[in-house]
Amino acid sequence: MISQEDIFQINSKKEFEKITLKVFRHQYDTNLVYQQFCNFLKKDKNNVKSITEIPFLPIQFFKSHNVLSSSETIQQTFTSSGTTRMQTSKHLVTDVSWYEMSYRLGFSEFYGNIEDYCVLALLPSYLERDGSSLIYMVEDLIQSSNHEDSGFYLNNYDELISKLIELDNLGQNVILIGVTYALLDLIEKQKFKLKNTIIMETGGMKGKRKEMIREELHTILREGFGVSKIHSEYGMTELLSQAYSLGDGVFECPPWMQILIRDTEDALTCVSEGKTGGINVIDLANINSCSFIATQDLGKKNPNHSFEVLGRFDHSDIRGCNLMVI
């Protein structure tokens, strides 16, 4: 049996590799979808001896299958955003305490005690639908901060502007977590000079604005908020852990999460540091679904194990994943 202590107290590379292989064997035995996928690739718990030999399940499976490594009752179903015509991803969570433990410890790893902050959230497109894992996390962070001014803002920009200026002038540490297009809307209404506020963008134009490259976006946000760095969160419906960037688009993972980069021509092969490829994620908090996910994001890994997200595969680039879809 693999416990939360096993996962969330990992403190070395050797320990991570040992637990990861243990999780792989567990999920091969208990997750029929993943087992069939591994068998298709002629991989099983007997011939996988290292992390780089583990098969990564294409993220599209969360749209078409119930990806489960547990027979327990579903406590929470997280769903991705999308139009009514789009098939959305669903992450079936049998024990939501794994998610809560992951994001609480992950936040603490990068930012310290949540009670040191006032947490403001500008996430309109997420608030307007059900099943968002981001809203679940941010709502808990707001409550855990125990600050009377922590809370969500929908379209009440004037109120948020007043609150940001007031709190910053008081010297209060603030984290403003916002979807990208809404942060841009905010600074078009008001330019700031914030000294005690962290701006964290969660990505996503949601069809509201044209997409921008990160350098351009962060320059506009830095100037609009009057801050030196823009922080970012890398997470998704299919994961129960998040990586964080404290600036410059360079992300780091908590100890129970790791990124590998796969070859865009051969999805079963990893490329070396500094080379661009598809982002594969090991998220050991996904103990009851699948911990080995091949995303549709492009990125590169740095020598210090940090990574950068460079974009997304278009349909012509995704051949490596399509070859693996059963």
Side-chain angles (χ1 to χ4, degrees):
M1 193 68 179
I2 302 164
S3 69
Q4 291 186 353
E5 288 76 14
D6 292 331
I7 301 294
F8 296 122
Q9 292 182 10
I10 288 173
N11 57 22
S12 70
K13 179 182 176 183
K14 185 177 179 181
E15 198 174 354
F16 180 87
E17 291 175 352
K18 179 183 175 184
I19 299 282
T20 297
L21 288 169
K22 192 174 178 181
V23 169
F24 166 70
R25 291 190 292 269
H26 164 72
Q27 294 187 339
Y28 180 85
D29 283 340
T30 57
N31 186 328
L32 184 59
V33 171
Y34 186 54
Q35 185 184 104
Q36 289 175 338
F37 174 71
C38 291
N39 290 344
F40 177 76
L41 299 175
K42 296 181 169 53
K43 296 283 190 179
D44 60 45
K45 63 180 183 178
N46 297 314
N47 63 18
V48 169
K49 305 294 185 185
S50 70
I51 285 179
T52 54
E53 294 173 328
I54 293 174
F56 284 79
L57 189 74
I59 201 164
Q60 301 97 304
F61 275 71
F62 282 83
K63 293 182 177 180
S64 56
H65 295 73
N66 290 338
V67 182
L68 278 167
S69 298
S70 171
S71 58
E72 297 297 314
T73 303
I74 307 300
Q75 287 187 357
Q76 192 83 29
T77 299
F78 293 125
T79 56
S80 61
S81 56
T83 65
T84 51
R85 292 183 180 180
M86 288 175 64
Q87 189 178 12
T88 56
S89 291
K90 59 184 187 301
H91 192 170
L92 306 176
V93 181
T94 58
D95 185 351
V96 77
S97 72
W98 282 85
Y99 183 40
E100 293 168 348
M101 182 77 77
S102 179
Y103 66 66
R104 287 169 184 168
L105 290 174
F107 181 92
S108 176
E109 177 92 6
F110 293 98
Y111 294 100
N113 188 346
I114 185 64
E115 293 188 2
D116 292 338
Y117 298 92
C118 175
V119 180
L120 307 179
L122 183 59
L123 300 165
S125 51
Y126 292 92
L127 270 179
E128 291 160 352
R129 68 177 184 84
D130 294 327
S132 167
S133 57
L134 178 62
I135 293 297
Y136 188 100
M137 176 181 80
V138 174
E139 189 167 31
D140 187 62
L141 293 177
I142 286 170
Q143 292 174 357
S144 299
S145 71
N146 288 326
H147 195 286
E148 61 181 4
D149 291 316
S150 290
F152 285 100
Y153 290 80
L154 189 54
N155 298 311
N156 43 341
Y157 286 178
D158 291 338
E159 186 183 342
L160 176 56
I161 288 167
S162 298
K163 187 58 65 179
L164 270 173
I165 293 171
E166 176 193 344
L167 291 169
D168 198 77
N169 287 340
L170 288 171
Q172 171 66 49
N173 292 327
V174 174
I175 293 185
L176 173 61
I177 303 173
V179 64
T180 305
Y181 79 83
L183 292 174
L184 291 168
D185 289 346
L186 186 66
I187 57 174
E188 284 181 359
K189 287 182 70 72
Q190 173 76 41
K191 292 288 190 285
F192 297 89
K193 291 287 183 186
L194 300 174
K195 297 181 176 63
N196 302 294
T197 301
I198 292 169
I199 307 299
M200 183 186 294
E201 55 100 2
T202 66
M205 291 299 187
K206 305 297 180 188
K208 307 279 188 181
R209 290 172 175 260
K210 70 177 181 69
E211 296 292 335
M212 294 185 203
I213 62 169
R214 179 189 56 80
E215 288 84 355
E216 179 188 7
L217 170 66
H218 281 203
T219 297
I220 293 169
L221 290 176
R222 281 199 308 270
E223 291 174 356
F225 285 105
V227 296
S228 60
K229 299 281 187 184
I230 298 297
H231 294 220
S232 305
E233 180 252 7
Y234 182 75
M236 57 194 73
T237 301
E238 300 84 357
L239 302 177
L240 294 185
S241 298
Q242 300 77 33
Y244 288 100
S245 166
L246 306 190
D248 304 318
V250 178
F251 290 88
E252 294 189 34
C253 297
W256 55 90
M257 179 183 182
Q258 195 174 113
I259 300 297
L260 300 177
I261 305 296
R262 67 179 182 274
D263 194 317
T264 54
E265 299 293 331
D266 177 5
L268 303 181
T269 302
C270 291
V271 300
S272 56
E273 292 164 349
K275 291 190 175 180
T276 299
I279 294 179
N280 286 352
V281 181
I282 300 174
D283 180 7
L284 298 182
N286 274 21
I287 186 73
N288 294 320
S289 54
C290 183
S291 290
F292 311 102
I293 307 296
T295 77
Q296 292 179 304
D297 293 327
L298 284 166
K300 68 177 182 180
K301 195 169 179 180
N302 301 319
N304 64 352
H305 301 298
S306 66
F307 69 99
E308 298 173 48
V309 183
L310 304 175
R312 287 178 63 80
F313 282 94
D314 64 30
H315 291 297
S316 62
D317 287 333
I318 211 161
R319 55 191 172 272
C321 266
N322 282 342
L323 289 173
M324 299 194 297
V325 176
I326 300 170

